[in-house]
Amino acid sequence: MKREYLRDSFVSALPNTKKRYLVADADIPNFAVRVGAKKKTFVLTSRFGNSSYSTRQTIGSFKTMSTDEARRIAGAWNKLMEQGSDPIVEREKERTEELLKQRSTFESVMRDYIAYLPTRSRNRSTSKETAFIHANIIDPETNDWMGMPISKVEDEHVSKLVGAIRARGAEAQAHKALTVIRTFFNWTMLPDRRRAIGLKANPVEHLTTKLMKLRKTPRTRHFLHLELRAYLLASMATPYPWGPFQRFLIETGQRRSDVARMRWSHVDLNMRLWVIPGRSGKPEDDHHVPLSDSMVGMLEVLLARQSPNHGDFVFSLSEGQRPITNFSREKDKFDELLIAEFAKIAPGRELRHWVWHDVRRTLRSHFSGFARKEVAEAAIGHSKVGLERVYNHFEYRRELRDAFNKWSQTLQKVLQGTATIADLEHWERVELPSKEVGHEGDA
């Protein structure tokens, strides 16, 4: 067998013949190039694995692979065999890992993450988060790198996507998009998961909302007196289940999802108590809501009107078998009534845009006039923090019931148009016309 120091120019000049021949490397004795009629292949001869005799293994084809690269691989293989490892097995492992990396695109891993979301202990926002991801992160019209192997995704790609969302005037959505993507990549960092998708590091570890100057402006919208009266009138004009649902929202201030999924089995009318089970959302512990006299009366009326076969859900379009959904569609219908009622009460004035959560904020704002801060926070289910969470498990039941009843009585006066300045002095300002309160100015 000829021995030459193999280099690209020398291998390129070797003639192709029908009868194959080998030219060994002068530097690595068991490294050679095999020349055939059509191609030239780099090979290594050794006792691979547990073989008792020498075999020849292909390293790669000339031109596809340079001579220097083939020599480097030959040296690495020899070193692996000296250490007792089989380079062929290692090569197959590398090929499998590389193939896995190519198959593990950002989109495919993100869909695995979406499938994981419902398994979280606090997963009530799963449907909203999933919809947001589909609309803003894995939409092929706005994300041209979602099909890229996740191992090749860099902070530059994410920054560009988030920047595009902000550029269309959606600052809050841009903030949320970056937060969701950061949470997603943190999820991928579990060692076994990271190795399986071929990800070595978190590409957005240092890409923060502060760095991108993304600000989440706290929403402060809440209903003032005339708006609140229009809301109450509109809810009265809305049939079951949406009308009572809307009234229950403003009377209790609980989360929309919790009110929508309210079950009869969680209500004790004798004890005048509604228990929202823990670990189904926020907070993690059971949340006890003392019911006002007004709410107990409303529930008793609903219960009396329901058929004997009605299911467990209080607000339902399927005889209690499933809770109400399609909040956006129903809000559009409710808005028409609300705007019409507001136009009657305050001619010439425009009702500002509102969202369901503003109803909850309205109650919390007014509860500051009925109860201490810790009681007002407990009323809407905000968890205690710090040492309070560890040591203080007092439920403020009596104070909460008193506050809910005072709020319910205030709402009734607002609805009837008999609320006075004294009733509303806990508000920052009063906007009642003089004919309703006997005074000039707004409340």
Side-chain angles (χ1 to χ4, degrees):
M1 184 190 304
K2 297 179 180 179
R3 289 193 178 277
E4 297 284 348
Y5 184 81
L6 301 180
R7 57 191 183 280
D8 286 351
S9 58
F10 174 80
V11 174
S12 180
L14 290 173
N16 291 95
T17 60
K18 290 183 178 181
K19 185 177 181 179
R20 290 185 297 182
Y21 63 94
L22 286 172
V23 178
D25 184 55
D27 184 37
I28 302 178
N30 59 341
F31 171 53
V33 60
R34 183 172 60 184
V35 183
K38 293 183 178 180
K39 63 180 182 179
K40 300 166 184 176
T41 307
F42 296 114
V43 296
L44 190 72
T45 304
S46 186
R47 293 182 179 181
F48 292 93
N50 297 321
S51 176
S52 58
Y53 54 89
S54 295
T55 58
R56 191 180 296 132
Q57 294 289 343
T58 299
I59 296 176
S61 298
F62 177 61
K63 290 189 177 178
T64 302
M65 177 183 291
S66 70
T67 309
D68 287 342
E69 176 65 10
R71 179 181 286 105
R72 185 192 66 77
I73 294 174
W77 283 13
N78 282 333
K79 193 168 185 178
L80 281 171
M81 285 185 286
E82 289 175 5
Q83 297 170 350
S85 299
D86 188 342
I88 305 306
V89 173
E90 295 296 325
R91 181 173 64 175
E92 288 306 312
K93 184 188 294 185
E94 289 177 3
R95 285 178 177 175
T96 301
E97 290 177 354
E98 185 59 31
L99 182 60
L100 190 60
K101 288 180 184 179
Q102 297 302 320
R103 289 178 178 174
S104 298
T105 64
F106 175 83
E107 180 185 7
S108 67
V109 181
M110 179 60 84
R111 292 190 183 280
D112 288 341
Y113 176 69
I114 290 173
Y116 149 80
L117 291 178
T119 68
R120 299 177 301 180
S121 59
R122 296 168 66 175
N123 57 21
R124 293 293 288 274
S125 63
T126 292
S127 58
K128 289 183 180 179
E129 190 166 349
T130 299
F132 181 86
I133 291 171
H134 281 288
N136 296 278
I137 298 175
I138 53 174
D139 180 358
E141 293 187 6
T142 56
N143 186 341
D144 58 2
W145 49 266
M146 55 186 274
M148 181 185 298
I150 194 169
S151 58
K152 298 185 182 298
V153 173
E154 299 179 355
D155 53 0
E156 181 181 358
H157 297 106
V158 176
S159 176
K160 181 181 177 182
L161 176 69
V162 174
I165 296 174
R166 176 165 53 186
R168 66 175 190 245
E171 180 87 9
Q173 285 187 311
H175 186 285
K176 183 174 181 179
L178 181 55
T179 301
V180 169
I181 293 174
R182 283 178 55 83
T183 302
F184 160 72
F185 273 110
N186 286 336
W187 172 81
T188 67
M189 287 296 101
L190 186 69
D192 290 346
R193 186 177 294 136
R194 186 182 70 239
R195 284 194 296 271
I197 62 177
L199 196 59
K200 293 183 177 179
N202 185 342
V204 296
E205 181 180 1
H206 303 294
L207 188 64
T208 63
T209 54
K210 183 178 180 180
L211 184 64
M212 290 197 68
K213 296 182 178 179
L214 290 168
R215 295 177 177 84
K216 186 178 180 181
T217 305
R219 188 173 174 84
T220 60
R221 175 77 166 99
H222 62 283
F223 290 129
L224 298 178
H225 170 261
L226 298 182
E227 296 172 327
L228 186 54
R229 187 179 180 194
Y231 177 96
L232 293 168
L233 289 168
S235 67
M236 289 182 64
T238 304
Y240 173 87
W242 290 101
F245 163 77
Q246 292 147 6
R247 184 61 181 264
F248 217 88
L249 275 182
I250 194 65
E251 289 268 5
T252 67
Q254 303 310 304
R255 296 176 176 84
R256 184 190 71 181
S257 58
D258 287 331
V259 176
R261 293 180 175 87
M262 185 180 187
R263 292 175 177 266
W264 286 112
S265 57
H266 298 160
V267 177
D268 188 334
L269 291 177
N270 292 325
M271 293 296 295
R272 296 172 176 260
L273 188 68
W274 170 29
V275 179
I276 302 175
R279 301 197 178 279
S280 60
K282 300 178 182 178
E284 292 185 1
D285 302 323
D286 287 354
H287 174 39
H288 294 180
V289 184
L291 298 172
S292 67
D293 296 340
S294 173
M295 286 299 91
V296 170
M298 189 186 86
L299 289 173
E300 287 176 339
V301 170
L302 291 179
L303 189 60
R305 291 176 179 175
Q306 290 175 351
S307 67
N309 297 322
H310 195 277
D312 200 29
F313 289 103
V314 176
F315 305 109
S316 173
L317 289 166
S318 57
E319 285 291 303
Q321 303 305 312
R322 296 180 300 278
I324 52 175
T325 54
N326 296 321
F327 298 103
S328 296
R329 183 185 65 190
E330 293 301 327
K331 182 179 179 296
D332 291 340
K333 295 179 182 179
F334 183 64
D335 267 339
E336 293 181 8
L337 289 173
L338 181 56
I339 291 171
E341 293 293 346
F342 188 69
K344 296 176 187 176
I345 298 170
R349 292 175 57 177
E350 183 178 350
L351 182 72
R352 290 184 298 149
H353 172 73
W354 65 283
V355 297
W356 289 114
H357 200 74
D358 298 337
V359 179
R360 175 173 164 82
R361 188 178 298 107
T362 298
L363 177 140
R364 174 60 185 89
S365 298
H366 301 324
F367 257 52
S368 292
F370 295 133
R372 295 175 289 129
K373 178 180 178 181
E374 55 267 37
V375 177
E377 289 291 283
I380 59 174
H382 280 175
S383 299
K384 300 182 181 74
V385 296
L387 292 177
E388 281 285 304
R389 179 171 178 79
V390 178
Y391 292 104
N392 183 8
H393 296 280
F394 187 66
E395 295 180 347
Y396 310 108
R397 190 77 59 82
R398 181 182 59 78
E399 292 178 83
L400 283 170
R401 193 179 303 282
D402 181 61
F404 276 117
N405 272 314
K406 285 181 179 178
W407 172 237
S408 184
Q409 292 161 10
T410 301
L411 288 177
Q412 191 61 27
K413 290 181 179 180
V414 169
L415 176 63
Q416 295 171 349
T418 59
T420 66
I421 293 286
D423 294 320
L424 303 168
E425 62 183 2
H426 60 280
W427 291 31
E428 288 186 359
R429 58 183 184 139
V430 178
E431 61 171 3
L432 291 174
S434 57
K435 64 180 180 180
E436 290 194 50
V437 297
H439 294 279
E440 295 290 336
D442 287 339

